[in-house]
Amino acid sequence: MNLIGDFLSRRYLLFLFSGGTASAVGIVLRLLFGLFMDYVPSIVAAYVLSTLTAYLLNRFLVFKATGKRYHVEIVKFYIVNVIGLLQTIAISSVLAGLLKGRLSLPETVSETLAHVAALSTLAVTSFLLYKYWTFAPRKQE
């Protein structure tokens, strides 16, 4: 396992593109859901739908031909993303409070900045978990 090589690879750039696209979908959905939902529920609803986008992009663009059945991959993918969701909620909530309190930013601005910052923290851990667990080639049985 060459960690530095992992993060300097074309695969990682494709992963960042896929994650960025899915994150943009999540942010737009969170803003839309925020029109009729509270902050944390809007994050959860957006995360569930943007995770499906992320799975499809990662499966077909980044981690091709792993030899696993799709249902096994998607279960593992969602497990990784539940961890990511908890991380996103925790970081978003703390940062939104800090931004509102310390910088006196409007609530919508502070919540959106906090959400973007929280999503960006997933780039390293998610990539490693996807590569070495979710989409890892199947061992010969």
Side-chain angles (χ1 to χ4, degrees):
M1 179 163 74
N2 179 1
L3 287 179
I4 293 175
D6 284 343
F7 295 109
L8 297 175
S9 67
R10 180 176 183 274
R11 178 183 272 182
Y12 189 64
L13 290 176
L14 289 170
F15 169 77
L16 292 175
F17 169 78
S18 298
T21 301
S23 292
V25 167
I27 290 164
V28 169
L29 290 173
R30 207 273 312 153
L31 290 168
L32 290 173
F33 293 151
L35 296 173
F36 57 90
M37 299 171 88
D38 289 333
Y39 183 55
V40 171
S42 71
I43 289 173
V44 173
Y47 206 90
V48 168
L49 295 175
S50 66
T51 297
L52 180 57
T53 302
Y55 172 76
L56 293 171
L57 289 170
N58 277 286
R59 177 64 178 94
F60 295 106
L61 184 64
V62 183
F63 301 101
K64 301 174 197 168
T66 63
K68 286 191 176 170
R69 297 169 301 219
Y70 291 116
H71 71 278
V72 173
E73 286 178 350
I74 203 156
V75 167
K76 288 182 174 184
F77 194 87
Y78 268 90
I79 289 169
V80 170
N81 280 280
V82 166
I83 295 165
L85 174 60
L86 297 174
Q87 179 179 339
T88 300
I89 290 170
I91 293 171
S92 293
S93 297
V94 170
L95 285 179
L98 289 173
L99 290 172
K100 279 188 270 186
R102 304 227 177 175
L103 299 179
S104 300
L105 293 173
E107 186 172 49
T108 303
V109 172
S110 61
E111 287 178 348
T112 300
L113 289 174
H115 188 204
V116 169
L119 289 173
S120 70
T121 66
L122 303 175
V124 173
T125 54
S126 295
F127 178 75
L128 292 173
L129 287 170
Y130 293 156
K131 181 175 181 181
Y132 294 107
W133 186 55
T134 304
F135 296 109
R138 245 176 121 175
K139 293 186 171 93
Q140 297 297 325
E141 298 172 354

